[in-house]
Amino acid sequence: VELALAEGAARRGDAARSRTHMNNAATDAVGSPVARALSTDLQLIAFDQLAEQYEQSPWHLSISAGAGWNDNVIGLPDAFILPADVTSRSSAFGRFALDARYDLIRTSEHYLGVGYGFATDFHEDTAEAGDSITNTFYLDYARPIDANTTLAFLAVDTWDRVGGTDFRNQVALRPSVAHRFCEFFTAELAYTFTYNDYYFPAPRISDREGIGHTVSLTAFAPIPDTSTTLKAGYAYNAYDADGANYDADAHTVFAGVRCTLPYDVEVDFTYTHVFFQTDNTQSFNGFTAVRDDNMDYYALRLSKKVRSNMTVYFTFDYADTESNITTFEYDQAVYGLGVMLEF
């Protein structure tokens, strides 16, 4: 869903939103390498077990494949006519992803890993417009400085193709510190630097290339004597683009829950709200006002291990965006089913 949202945002000339969706695609996908690296509560727990696991293979491989339905592949408002190269607003899609990781260092005092991720979505009814390919290279380091505090650093280089053409290269650097205040409360403070290089020409005012800075605070609260963990957080993002249309600020709040249902079905639900505003008046509306958006995202994941190395999953994602510029208003629902194998 995030890659499709990114494509729709890019076609509407919205680099900041497209960047956000691309980041989410890397961090939210089932089995994604960055999702594991950013999973603070699991990361803290893992250090208690690393020394015991050192004899295990340092190689890790996961492969996932799935299919689903997207009711608004490129994220167009209902009243808009489809572009000439798009044959349908909705479409079935197929999805394939791979993640390969190697643990260079794995002790009770240090963790250093490198990895590669590949992901692609291909749609049946939208020609190439909704199709995407993402290649990700990453380095992940973490070090506990005491029994309850972990310092971490993540470096990611992502190359994206959307609609059959090169779309973007993004480099992201993310230092963070996580502290477990007690058995039932962990918090993480992180800073993320991103540099975006887009591969298509644009007028100077609409040049999307630029630098982003994000500061985020996330809290995790396991509920005693249950399988339930609550999470909530806030992030502030500032983007400095080469083109005046895309200088922007965003405030994001999110909350979620993860738990286990009967029959060992894992549930992960997250609600996200984004307050987005450009710094400058927009050429899209004759320079009469800045753009002011309110975005709501709902993400539901259900998964179940059917074998020791096999997980089946269902996903539902819904996006609803309101804006003072009609071009940027849309809603989208995406359903997916798949299976992941881990080796």
Side-chain angles (χ1 to χ4, degrees), residues 302-340:
L302 302 177
S303 61
K304 176 178 172 60
K305 266 192 182 301
V306 293
R307 294 183 180 176
S308 60
N309 70 333
M310 179 186 292
T311 300
V312 295
Y313 61 86
F314 166 80
T315 62
F316 172 71
D317 296 271
Y318 181 74
D320 184 17
T321 296
E322 296 183 356
S323 176
N324 63 330
I325 301 177
T326 306
T327 305
F328 300 102
E329 291 190 335
Y330 75 99
D331 60 83
Q332 181 187 58
V334 184
Y335 307 83
L337 285 170
V339 61
M340 180 171 66

Side-chain angles (χ1 to χ4, degrees), residues 90-157:
S90 60
S91 176
F93 65 85
R95 176 171 295 164
F96 175 80
L98 175 148
D99 172 37
R101 187 177 85 253
Y102 182 76
D103 299 334
L104 295 169
I105 301 174
R106 185 174 55 182
T107 71
S108 59
E109 296 181 353
H110 298 276
Y111 171 79
L112 178 64
V114 293
Y116 165 74
F118 172 86
T120 182
D121 278 10
F122 45 95
H123 294 78
E124 179 185 10
D125 298 323
T126 58
E128 286 188 314
D131 297 348
S132 60
I133 297 174
T134 298
N135 291 278
T136 302
F137 302 88
Y138 62 96
L139 179 147
D140 180 25
Y141 174 77
R143 171 180 171 80
I145 58 176
D146 60 40
N148 295 304
T149 307
T150 299
L151 301 178
F153 177 78
L154 179 67
V156 183
D157 190 2

Side-chain angles (χ1 to χ4, degrees), residues 33-321:
V34 185
R36 273 200 310 278
L38 303 188
S39 185
T40 305
D41 51 342
L42 297 179
Q43 183 184 84
L44 286 168
I45 296 170
F47 277 107
D48 299 334
Q49 306 167 354
L50 282 177
E52 299 175 8
Q53 297 176 350
Y54 191 73
E55 297 302 322
Q56 297 179 9
S57 171
W59 289 99
H60 309 273
L61 175 67
S62 67
I63 300 173
S64 63
W69 179 263
N70 187 328
D71 75 349
N72 188 4
V73 175
I74 63 172
L76 283 178
D78 290 340
F80 277 47
I81 298 175
L82 291 174
D85 61 341
V86 179
T87 57
S88 175
R89 182 181 299 271
S90 60
S91 176
F93 65 85
R95 176 171 295 164
F96 175 80
L98 175 148
D99 172 37
R101 187 177 85 253
Y102 182 76
D103 299 334
L104 295 169
I105 301 174
R106 185 174 55 182
T107 71
S108 59
E109 296 181 353
H110 298 276
Y111 171 79
L112 178 64
V114 293
Y116 165 74
F118 172 86
T120 182
D121 278 10
F122 45 95
H123 294 78
E124 179 185 10
D125 298 323
T126 58
E128 286 188 314
D131 297 348
S132 60
I133 297 174
T134 298
N135 291 278
T136 302
F137 302 88
Y138 62 96
L139 179 147
D140 180 25
Y141 174 77
R143 171 180 171 80
I145 58 176
D146 60 40
N148 295 304
T149 307
T150 299
L151 301 178
F153 177 78
L154 179 67
V156 183
D157 190 2
T158 303
W159 298 79
D160 301 302
R161 285 177 61 85
V162 178
T165 60
D166 290 338
F167 178 72
R168 187 198 61 173
N169 173 227
Q170 181 190 79
V171 175
L173 305 174
R174 187 183 190 273
S176 63
V177 57
H179 183 75
R180 183 163 46 194
F181 291 90
C182 64
E183 184 180 357
F184 311 120
F185 184 77
T186 297
E188 182 206 52
L189 179 65
Y191 163 74
T192 304
F193 168 88
T194 57
Y195 172 73
N196 297 281
D197 184 11
Y198 290 87
Y199 294 127
F200 46 86
R204 177 64 179 176
I205 194 172
S206 295
D207 191 342
R208 299 164 170 83
E209 295 187 7
I211 293 173
H213 304 274
T214 302
V215 178
S216 60
L217 179 64
T218 307
F220 301 88
I223 304 300
D225 302 319
T226 73
S227 64
T228 301
T229 297
L230 305 177
K231 66 177 179 180
Y234 166 82
Y236 169 73
N237 172 262
Y239 191 67
D240 182 14
D242 291 346
N245 271 341
Y246 297 107
D247 294 331
D249 297 277
H251 299 269
T252 301
V253 293
F254 58 91
V257 59
R258 184 172 56 195
C259 63
T260 303
L261 297 180
Y263 303 101
D264 296 322
V265 175
E266 301 286 338
V267 179
D268 195 335
F269 173 78
T270 302
Y271 166 74
T272 303
H273 185 86
V274 182
F275 304 90
F276 173 90
Q277 188 175 78
T278 59
D279 297 341
N280 307 303
T281 56
Q282 298 289 284
S283 64
F284 306 113
N285 62 2
F287 301 99
T288 57
V290 300
R291 207 181 93 216
D292 193 351
D293 293 0
N294 280 280
M295 314 173 190
D296 291 296
Y297 302 106
Y298 304 84
L300 173 66
R301 308 283 188 272
L302 302 177
S303 61
K304 176 178 172 60
K305 266 192 182 301
V306 293
R307 294 183 180 176
S308 60
N309 70 333
M310 179 186 292
T311 300
V312 295
Y313 61 86
F314 166 80
T315 62
F316 172 71
D317 296 271
Y318 181 74
D320 184 17
T321 296

Side-chain angles (χ1 to χ4, degrees), residues 5-18:
L5 290 174
E7 160 66 4
R11 286 185 170 276
R12 294 193 305 276
D14 184 354
R17 182 185 294 164
S18 182

